[in-house]
Amino acid sequence: MVKLNIRKGRCAFGLCLGVMVVQLSGLITALIPGGIFGPRVPPAQAQEPLKPVELRVSILQAVERALAKNWTIIRESYSPEISATNVVTEEAAFDPILNFEGSLTTQRLPTATGLAGGGGAGSEPGVSALETRNGSASLAQRFITGGNYELTLNASRQQTNSNFVFLNPNYSSDITLTLIHPLLRNFGLEFNRSRIRIAQLDRAISKEVFRQQVIAVVSQVESSYWDLVLARRLVEVSRRSLELARDLRRRNKIQIEAGVLAPIEIFQAEAAVAAREAELISAQAAVKDAEDVLKSLLSMEEDYRYQEVTILPEDEPAVTVTEVSLEESLKSGLEKRPEISQAKTQTASRDISVRAARNQLRPALDVTAFFGLNGRGREVKDNLDVLVSSKRYHAGLSVFLEIPLGNRVAKQTLRRSRLEAGQARASLKEIQQLVSLEVRTAVRRLNTSLKRITATRAARVLAEKTLDAEEKKFRVGLSTNFNILQFQNDLAIAQSEETRTLIDYTKALVELQRATGTLLEVNSIVL
């Protein structure tokens, strides 16, 4: 289970949510407390046709919904646990193995001589009979240093009709401990743990990939949220501009009826109204486009309740003048960006592969030692007495040496590992360079947006004053429709630019937080 917790941040309440994968049913349940995004109701339960409704959403609620429902995050949430299974798989190579085996063999063979045949009581003349019962158990395990041991226990019972067998039935057993350990190739903790360590690093990489996806989705959600805010504000600007044009047309009609204004003057006002109606229609379509993008990120299009919903953003852009240090931002980006962590971890993994491949260039020098006890007797008790007396034993020591001539496979494996390690280091440098560029661009864009806010605000105030002055001149006959319409258009442009600049600043702040790797921290999201 991968948990995403949103602690107390910009809102006055804390939210905790998690994404739990239920593999049996294939259902994914978000642990979110109530709120506007409650449990889904199947479409079959809908009794009335859908009606467009309005849904007020804060940016925190949008992020909350995305963390619980976005399919990109849900897909990547599997990756760390999938990688964790690989770690356990590699560790399992050192698990002990217990084996059991049993067999029963009987044979009745014709004999060519009476000496080999059975001569015992009740036996069939000219037939050799033998029954063998074998049982064995073994315990084997690899050492983390490269060697392995095997403890085996064998027991058997033989019964025959031969006159030449002294112990009949015959019970025998032996217990043997065998130790095999390499001294050169495959020796050492570092080599034998290399696959485990690489699997652990792969899991760390998958976690950073998941964190990167969460950052990307949160960044997209916040940017799309502010795009929707901008689109709705531009609709209001277009609507006010249309109202000004309609008001001018109304006044022109009054003046024409009074004979103060020539009838031809109405055409300019009519054309302006038509043009601004078209602008309003385009602005309203842009709102729907922005809503669709946000709904897609929040996976709302799958829920029938939200298909015709009109999203009303609750939050407004706020300008907080803060000192942004380029040096601190660069330091943060190079330390906290998940891409940097992935590249560093990948480089460490490649270095482990190089050392493991270098180990395989060594000759193989293995030592094998074994010691065992043997038992035999007519009865089971006799057999065990001999076994535990330690008077019957077997032992040995052997050395195996292998010197590969040429050893091209190991050499090329080492060469490949070194090339991949060099490639990983180059990739790290490339990513560091790209991160530095993104941070510099984000800082510059934020500072530029802050300066543009002051400039566009001043331009909007001047446009309002200019239009007001021109309106006064128009009322006394010192101005024309053309001038009024031009200054109205200038005011609409100034209002749009001021609004766009405010949103640009807010999005630039989000982009800076993404570039410096602090977006989750700022939003109090903990993985």
Side-chain angles (χ1 to χ4, degrees), residues 22-149:
V22 184
Q23 296 180 345
L24 181 61
S25 62
L27 299 177
I28 301 174
T29 303
L31 304 178
I32 307 175
I36 61 171
F37 300 114
R40 297 184 177 184
V41 180
Q45 297 183 16
Q47 301 298 326
E48 298 180 359
L50 298 177
K51 298 179 180 179
V53 294
E54 294 181 346
L55 184 65
R56 303 193 66 84
V57 181
S58 69
I59 193 167
L60 184 61
Q61 289 171 327
V63 170
E64 171 193 306
R65 167 88 185 191
L67 293 177
K69 301 293 184 181
N70 184 272
W71 288 110
T72 300
I73 291 181
I74 293 173
R75 184 195 69 222
E76 288 301 327
S77 68
Y78 286 88
S79 298
E81 293 306 314
I82 292 175
S83 299
T85 63
N86 296 332
V87 176
V88 178
T89 300
E90 296 299 336
E91 292 174 340
F94 299 95
D95 289 349
I97 300 175
L98 185 61
N99 290 321
F100 296 95
E101 184 179 358
S103 65
L104 172 64
T105 304
T106 61
Q107 62 181 25
R108 296 178 63 82
L109 302 175
T111 61
T113 172
L115 295 177
S123 63
E124 184 179 352
V127 176
S128 174
L130 177 65
E131 180 184 270
T132 304
R133 301 176 183 179
N134 291 319
S136 65
S138 67
L139 177 65
Q141 186 176 13
R142 283 182 57 191
F143 296 126
I144 197 66
T145 55
N148 64 82
Y149 75 86

Side-chain angles (χ1 to χ4, degrees), residues 53-279:
V53 294
E54 294 181 346
L55 184 65
R56 303 193 66 84
V57 181
S58 69
I59 193 167
L60 184 61
Q61 289 171 327
V63 170
E64 171 193 306
R65 167 88 185 191
L67 293 177
K69 301 293 184 181
N70 184 272
W71 288 110
T72 300
I73 291 181
I74 293 173
R75 184 195 69 222
E76 288 301 327
S77 68
Y78 286 88
S79 298
E81 293 306 314
I82 292 175
S83 299
T85 63
N86 296 332
V87 176
V88 178
T89 300
E90 296 299 336
E91 292 174 340
F94 299 95
D95 289 349
I97 300 175
L98 185 61
N99 290 321
F100 296 95
E101 184 179 358
S103 65
L104 172 64
T105 304
T106 61
Q107 62 181 25
R108 296 178 63 82
L109 302 175
T111 61
T113 172
L115 295 177
S123 63
E124 184 179 352
V127 176
S128 174
L130 177 65
E131 180 184 270
T132 304
R133 301 176 183 179
N134 291 319
S136 65
S138 67
L139 177 65
Q141 186 176 13
R142 283 182 57 191
F143 296 126
I144 197 66
T145 55
N148 64 82
Y149 75 86
E150 184 176 17
L151 180 65
T152 60
L153 173 64
N154 297 306
S156 66
R157 177 187 183 276
Q158 283 189 340
Q159 186 171 6
T160 181
N161 63 349
S162 175
N163 292 322
F164 297 96
V165 177
F166 177 69
L167 297 178
N168 190 24
N170 172 23
Y171 291 90
S172 64
S173 62
D174 67 80
I175 181 169
T176 304
L177 176 63
T178 303
L179 301 175
I180 303 175
H181 206 290
L183 301 180
L184 293 176
R185 189 195 304 167
N186 301 331
F187 172 78
L189 289 172
E190 182 180 48
F191 173 78
N192 287 279
R193 285 186 55 84
S194 61
R195 295 176 65 89
I196 297 175
R197 184 56 184 152
I198 289 174
Q200 291 172 339
L201 293 177
D202 288 343
R203 184 188 183 191
I205 290 175
S206 67
K207 288 182 178 180
E208 291 301 319
V209 171
F210 177 61
R211 188 162 73 95
Q212 181 181 353
Q213 289 293 341
V214 173
I215 290 175
V217 169
V218 172
S219 175
Q220 291 171 5
V221 168
E222 293 197 2
S223 295
S224 299
Y225 185 92
W226 295 121
D227 284 340
L228 179 57
V229 172
L230 173 62
R232 296 192 69 84
R233 283 196 170 193
L234 292 181
V235 166
E236 294 302 318
V237 172
S238 297
R239 186 173 286 114
R240 288 196 297 268
S241 179
L242 175 60
E243 290 173 357
L244 289 175
R246 286 174 174 172
D247 182 65
L248 179 62
R249 181 182 61 181
R250 179 185 59 79
R251 286 184 291 164
N252 282 351
K253 287 181 178 180
I254 294 175
Q255 290 179 328
I256 291 172
E257 291 174 358
V260 178
L261 198 64
I264 196 173
E265 294 292 335
I266 195 64
F267 296 134
Q268 284 185 334
E270 292 285 0
V273 169
R276 291 174 188 179
E277 284 178 345
E279 292 174 358

Side-chain angles (χ1 to χ4, degrees), residues 215-353:
I215 290 175
V217 169
V218 172
S219 175
Q220 291 171 5
V221 168
E222 293 197 2
S223 295
S224 299
Y225 185 92
W226 295 121
D227 284 340
L228 179 57
V229 172
L230 173 62
R232 296 192 69 84
R233 283 196 170 193
L234 292 181
V235 166
E236 294 302 318
V237 172
S238 297
R239 186 173 286 114
R240 288 196 297 268
S241 179
L242 175 60
E243 290 173 357
L244 289 175
R246 286 174 174 172
D247 182 65
L248 179 62
R249 181 182 61 181
R250 179 185 59 79
R251 286 184 291 164
N252 282 351
K253 287 181 178 180
I254 294 175
Q255 290 179 328
I256 291 172
E257 291 174 358
V260 178
L261 198 64
I264 196 173
E265 294 292 335
I266 195 64
F267 296 134
Q268 284 185 334
E270 292 285 0
V273 169
R276 291 174 188 179
E277 284 178 345
E279 292 174 358
L280 178 59
I281 292 172
S282 297
Q284 290 171 336
V287 170
K288 291 300 181 182
D289 291 340
E291 275 187 358
D292 288 342
V293 172
L294 185 57
K295 285 180 179 180
S296 177
L297 289 171
L298 304 184
S299 298
M300 295 175 66
E301 72 281 356
E302 299 176 357
D303 195 327
Y304 84 99
R305 296 179 303 163
Y306 302 134
Q307 291 173 0
E308 299 299 327
V309 159
T310 298
I311 297 179
L312 299 179
E314 283 189 341
D315 294 330
E316 296 293 332
V319 178
T320 304
V321 180
T322 57
E323 189 70 24
V324 178
S325 170
L326 177 59
E327 182 179 354
E328 291 297 323
S329 297
L330 287 171
K331 180 180 178 182
S332 176
L334 294 175
E335 289 179 354
K336 297 181 179 181
R337 281 285 289 271
E339 298 94 323
I340 299 291
S341 299
Q342 293 172 42
K344 288 181 177 179
T345 305
Q346 187 64 46
T347 301
S349 178
R350 296 302 186 193
D351 290 340
I352 292 175
S353 297

